[in-house]
Amino acid sequence: MRRFFLIAVPYAWLLVLFLIPFVIVLKISLSDTELAIPPYTPTLDLSQGWAGIREFFAGLDLENFVWLTEDDLYWKAYLSSLWIATCSTILTLLIGFPIAYGMARSPEQWRATLMMLVILPFWTSFLIRVYAWMGILSQEGFLNQFLLWIGIIDSPLTILNTNTAVYIGIVYTYLPFMILPIYAALDRLDGSLIEAAEDLGCSRLMAFWLVTLPLSRPGIIAGCFLVFIPALGEFVIPSLLGGSGTLMIGKVLWEEFFSNRDWPVASAVAVVLLLILVIPIVLFQRNQQKQQEADQ
Amino acid sequence: MDASAFAPWEDPQAQPLIRFKNVTKSFGTFTAIDDLSLDIFEKEFFALLGPSGCGKTTMMRMLAGFETPTSGVIELAGQDIAPVPPNQRAVNMMFQSYALFPHLSIWDNIAFGLKRDKMPKLDLQERVEAMLKLTRLEQFARRKPHQISGGQRQRVALARSLAKAPKLLLLDEPLGALDKKLRQDTQFELMDIQETTGTTFVIVTHDQEEAMTVASRVAVMDHGRIIQADTPDRIYESPNSVYVADFIGDVNIIQGQANPGEGDGYRLFWTEGQPPLIANSTKSFSAGQTCHLAIRPEKVTISAERPEDAANAVRGKVLDIAYLGNLSTYHVELPNGLVIKAQTANTRRISRRSFTWEDPVWLSWTATAGVLLAN
Ligand SMILES: Nc1ncnc2c1ncn2[C@@H]1O[C@H](COP(=O)(O)OP(=O)(O)OP(=O)(O)O)[C@@H](O)[C@H]1O
Ligand SMILES: [Mg+2]
């Protein structure tokens, strides 16, 4: 009985916060647009009994999903989102790993402070921080002024409203999510393992490659997921820092939803996005499990 | 091994493999190794003995290259090793904490060092198998370190450090987690390896018996200093201080004032109203100097009557008897309150032993049985 309750709590949580909203979105994605409130049909009318339910299900179809394949805007947006999310995850990893490594290697008394500094940006609003980047990256922004002043460039660079700005924004925003799990993994790592590797003939670099890296793998994977997943559906950063050429699915979704008021197509976009995310995660977990079983 | 033949430490011409020259190691304000000088010779089996925290591991870590001396020089085969990084030293260390790689199987843990040397595949396999066999781990080769017991892990660590057959092998408590039988077997294996490969071993142990069995020389340490480094029998028979005598084995310490007698004999006045004790000593003491007579319990004879010809005989009464199976230790209280331990072999069954609690007895020993120590 106790076990049942222990399992019931997380499942109830999932049901309320994930499954029910998902079913609603899925239902909308199978509906048709209409100029009404809500802006789609059919709606479930239980007062008509069985006939109402039958009519409701008859009104559902896959039209919107077909539509997603017909207009190349959508798959281009998906691909471009995947590309941007992948690149920025790799960039975040390349920047985040050395920071986490440095933190884990720093003297004990410094670590709490360093950790504070990593989390500190969360104390201000995300939107304000993105606006600040607009100020930094714009033509007359701090970055250009600084580069002009030290004489590296003659004319201001165009960074704002390009994909570069989007990368900068994503890496900046999600860096802590990369640093924290990697730091946790590196912090747990027993320093005598590195010494043992060196004792057995490894150079520093080799010991890093053969011991540190494999042992921090769980942290790296967790960090990559924590960055990749939100980056894929990111909407604020591309719309504020990106230009008209920046194509991301989050932006498309927003436009369908609010500009076109086409809730069914927007919902279809969301459902496909979810599938794109869920499939690799499931595959990955199965792979992980198999490996663990092989270890036993 | 013929102990009289192998004694390079007595040969002033011999070049030591390792030489500590006035080495000091401080961690902040704490001095872990204090102005230590020591020579260890090739093919030695050198045991470090000492209480916890006396600096044994620190010495090992300096040899392996993980700590640098705060001052002083460590030489390996005549070369200062300070600039040589750990991976280029012909030294392997077995860590006190084992430091097994958790992501690698037992097999890969043992093969780790060999792979770094780019050993040909077949040789490597053969070598790993041999190590697995030596440490009796064959059936665990595919497991990960967290899937085996503590003693098995210790054996993996040992196998991993032995695999590369280095010139110098540092073993930090290599056998502590093994049961007595396996420990003895492994001790003999180690001595065997030592003899066949000529590897120099430096071994840390908390087990005196182990140190006595395997070591060519034993160093007794305290607070970052080596108090005495000598052959096991000399450490036991002629300790240079009360500390060493007390640390190795069981000992009775009788304090008193020495008075030179004839030859190298001394009379030790140890308490009011009792005749002085007679002890021979190669070291000289001035008249009236305070010194300590250290005498091992097995060298004290216990009897009901006063023995006729004993150089030293004192009266007391049995306070306690510790039965150890093959031996019994009698705790005998002397008239001045001092308790002396006397050990006898149990050649008769326990029910037939001659003394019991509260019995008045005589303790006796010869003039050469004990050692006179100044401090
Ligand atoms: N990195 C360090 N920083 C500060 N103090 C240290 C450090 N390493 C060792 N010490 C101190 O140096 C002393 C000697 O340590 P060491 O590890 O050599 O002891 P040990 O003789 O091996 O003891 P044990 O038998 O318990 O293993 C200890 O008091 C220890 O606290
Ligand atoms: Mg130690």
Side-chain angles (χ1 to χ4, degrees):
Chain A
M1 204 52 196
R2 238 191 90 199
R3 256 192 79 162
F4 171 77
F5 276 113
L6 280 180
I7 299 173
V9 171
Y11 274 93
W13 180 267
L14 265 181
L15 189 75
V16 172
L17 290 177
F18 179 75
L19 202 62
I20 294 178
F22 176 73
V23 168
I24 294 173
V25 171
L26 184 68
K27 188 258 142 191
I28 298 176
S29 76
L30 298 173
S31 314
D32 295 319
T33 347
E34 186 156 300
L35 276 175
I37 292 175
Y40 52 84
T41 63
T43 46
L44 186 54
D45 188 0
L46 285 176
S47 61
Q48 294 190 15
W50 254 120
I53 295 174
R54 217 165 325 134
E55 199 181 316
F56 171 76
F57 277 105
L60 299 178
D61 53 49
L62 290 170
E63 222 173 71
N64 299 309
F65 290 94
V66 177
W67 169 243
L68 290 190
T69 61
E70 280 166 357
D71 191 332
D72 63 2
L73 166 76
Y74 298 105
W75 65 261
K76 275 186 181 153
Y78 279 120
L79 275 187
S80 140
S81 290
L82 278 172
W83 173 250
I84 291 177
T86 308
C87 289
S88 34
T89 304
I90 293 170
L91 281 173
T92 316
L93 177 62
L94 290 180
I95 297 168
F97 193 97
I99 296 177
Y101 189 79
M103 280 169 66
R105 285 258 159 153
S106 63
E108 199 76 45
Q109 66 267 31
W110 278 95
R111 292 191 196 168
T113 317
L114 291 172
M115 182 78 106
M116 255 325 267
L117 290 177
V118 169
I119 306 173
L120 203 62
F122 290 118
W123 289 30
T124 48
S125 150
F126 167 57
L127 266 180
I128 290 177
R129 284 180 284 135
V130 176
Y131 276 118
W133 274 108
M134 292 171 75
I136 295 172
L137 298 177
S138 67
Q139 293 268 321
E140 314 79 41
F142 294 120
L143 181 66
N144 273 320
Q145 281 183 20
F146 177 72
L147 292 179
L148 284 169
W149 177 63
I150 59 170
I152 292 183
I153 51 172
D154 303 326
S155 55
L157 301 170
T158 315
I159 303 175
L160 192 62
N161 302 331
T162 65
N163 277 359
T164 314
V166 175
Y167 285 127
I168 293 176
I170 293 180
V171 169
Y172 163 76
T173 307
Y174 293 108
L175 196 58
F177 295 104
M178 184 64 87
I179 292 177
L180 294 180
I182 296 180
Y183 169 74
L186 288 174
D187 193 40
R188 270 201 308 273
L189 196 141
D190 178 3
S192 66
L193 294 179
I194 311 297
E195 291 183 346
E198 285 184 39
D199 187 63
L200 292 165
C202 280
S203 61
R204 283 270 162 92
L205 203 66
M206 215 38 179
F208 176 82
W209 182 251
L210 291 171
V211 178
T212 311
L213 215 51
L215 287 176
S216 51
R217 211 182 65 143
I220 293 175
I221 290 170
C224 286
F225 271 114
L226 285 178
V227 173
F228 181 81
I229 293 170
L232 188 64
E234 184 54 55
F235 151 71
V236 175
I237 295 170
S239 48
L240 290 184
L241 299 180
S244 50
T246 308
L247 198 55
M248 281 193 83
I249 200 67
K251 231 168 94 180
V252 171
L253 195 129
W254 168 274
E255 271 154 21
E256 292 294 353
F257 209 89
F258 292 100
S259 311
N260 301 353
R261 265 184 83 74
D262 192 341
W263 286 25
V265 168
S267 301
V269 168
V271 169
V272 172
L273 182 62
L274 189 77
L275 289 181
I276 292 176
L277 285 176
V278 163
I279 290 169
I281 294 175
V282 169
L283 285 181
F284 174 77
Q285 281 206 325
R286 182 167 313 162
N287 178 30
Q288 214 47 3
Q289 215 158 21
K290 261 195 208 143
Q291 214 168 29
Q292 246 170 21
E293 275 159 21
D295 277 357
Q296 299 297 308
Chain B
M1 191 172 19
D2 189 351
S4 63
F6 181 73
W9 49 89
E10 300 201 325
D11 176 5
Q13 302 297 314
Q15 277 299 315
L17 179 69
I18 303 163
R19 170 163 273 174
F20 281 79
K21 279 204 276 201
N22 304 96
V23 173
T24 296
K25 174 72 195 177
S26 308
F27 296 106
T29 55
F30 178 79
T31 309
I33 298 291
D34 190 2
D35 192 27
L36 182 146
S37 295
L38 174 70
D39 288 349
I40 299 175
F41 296 86
E42 203 165 346
K43 301 193 179 143
E44 258 205 270
F45 209 122
F46 195 90
L48 289 174
L49 221 55
S52 185
C54 70
K56 304 180 295 289
T57 301
T58 307
M59 267 181 81
M60 294 258 187
R61 289 174 57 79
M62 287 196 288
L63 281 172
F66 302 125
E67 307 281 3
T68 45
T70 311
S71 70
V73 178
I74 303 174
E75 288 176 358
L76 186 72
Q79 299 279 316
D80 181 4
I81 52 170
V84 186
N87 58 328
Q88 281 158 31
R89 297 188 184 189
V91 176
N92 280 146
M93 172 153 164
M94 175 186 163
F95 288 72
Q96 193 171 12
S97 61
Y98 313 152
L100 301 179
F101 303 121
H103 58 300
L104 298 179
S105 69
I106 303 312
W107 205 96
D108 287 322
N109 261 284
I110 297 175
F112 193 91
L114 302 172
K115 283 186 184 161
R116 304 287 84 72
D117 287 351
K118 307 256 182 310
M119 193 186 234
K121 207 165 173 199
L122 283 179
D123 294 355
L124 184 141
Q125 269 171 0
E126 202 175 301
R127 183 80 186 144
V128 175
E129 300 298 335
M131 288 299 119
L132 285 169
K133 186 145 178 280
L134 179 71
T135 46
R136 295 180 209 171
L137 288 164
E138 290 109 322
Q139 71 263 48
F140 307 110
R142 295 275 141 240
R143 296 216 198 154
K144 292 271 173 74
H146 69 270
Q147 295 162 329
I148 57 177
S149 78
Q152 288 160 353
R153 257 174 252 161
Q154 193 169 39
R155 280 183 276 157
V156 177
L158 181 61
R160 190 177 67 179
S161 62
L162 289 173
K164 286 184 81 168
K167 224 160 89 183
L168 173 62
L169 200 51
L170 308 170
L171 305 177
D172 201 345
E173 297 190 32
L175 313 175
L178 307 185
D179 60 78
K180 192 164 174 158
K181 179 84 180 58
L182 189 54
R183 184 172 345 169
Q184 282 174 350
D185 288 353
T186 317
Q187 282 168 11
F188 284 114
E189 291 290 0
L190 287 180
M191 283 154 71
D192 222 37
I193 292 170
Q194 203 270 341
E195 259 166 70
T196 47
T197 61
T199 305
T200 309
F201 280 71
V202 179
I203 176 173
V204 169
T205 172
H206 277 293
D207 181 351
Q208 298 170 16
E209 208 178 309
E210 182 169 290
M212 294 290 178
T213 322
V214 299
S216 61
R217 278 195 303 160
V218 176
V220 179
M221 293 183 67
D222 188 31
H223 289 108
R225 296 163 182 268
I226 287 186
I227 309 297
Q228 188 175 6
D230 225 325
T231 53
D233 55 314
R234 293 250 283 275
I235 289 268
Y236 191 76
E237 300 283 345
S238 37
N240 67 0
S241 59
V242 173
Y243 178 80
V244 174
D246 199 27
F247 193 80
I248 306 284
D250 227 349
V251 76
N252 298 301
I253 304 286
I254 303 172
Q255 192 181 343
Q257 275 78 40
N259 248 316
E262 65 262 34
D264 56 1
Y266 285 84
R267 278 172 300 160
L268 185 76
F269 293 94
W270 61 287
T271 185
E272 293 285 313
Q274 290 273 347
L277 301 174
I278 312 293
N280 291 354
S281 172
T282 47
K283 276 173 272 177
S284 51
F285 298 89
S286 54
Q289 187 183 348
T290 300
C291 62
H292 306 81
L293 178 69
I295 181 160
R296 302 282 178 198
E298 71 272 13
K299 298 207 167 80
V300 179
T301 314
I302 185 165
S303 56
E305 303 293 325
R306 189 183 203 287
E308 291 297 310
D309 51 354
N312 302 290
V314 289
R315 248 181 98 81
K317 80 168 191 278
V318 177
L319 203 63
D320 205 356
I321 307 172
Y323 177 68
L324 306 170
N326 55 340
L327 300 169
S328 285
T329 304
Y330 294 87
H331 296 243
V332 176
E333 191 179 14
L334 304 188
N336 68 344
L338 191 68
V339 177
I340 298 286
K341 283 171 272 186
Q343 207 166 53
T344 58
N346 288 329
T347 48
R348 297 193 211 170
R349 292 193 65 95
I350 188 166
S351 55
R352 307 197 51 193
R353 84 184 152 201
S354 348
F355 313 105
T356 178
W357 287 268
E358 301 295 328
D359 276 358
V361 290
W362 283 91
L363 298 179
S364 57
W365 59 90
T366 65
T368 51
V371 215
L372 272 184
L373 299 166
N375 50 39

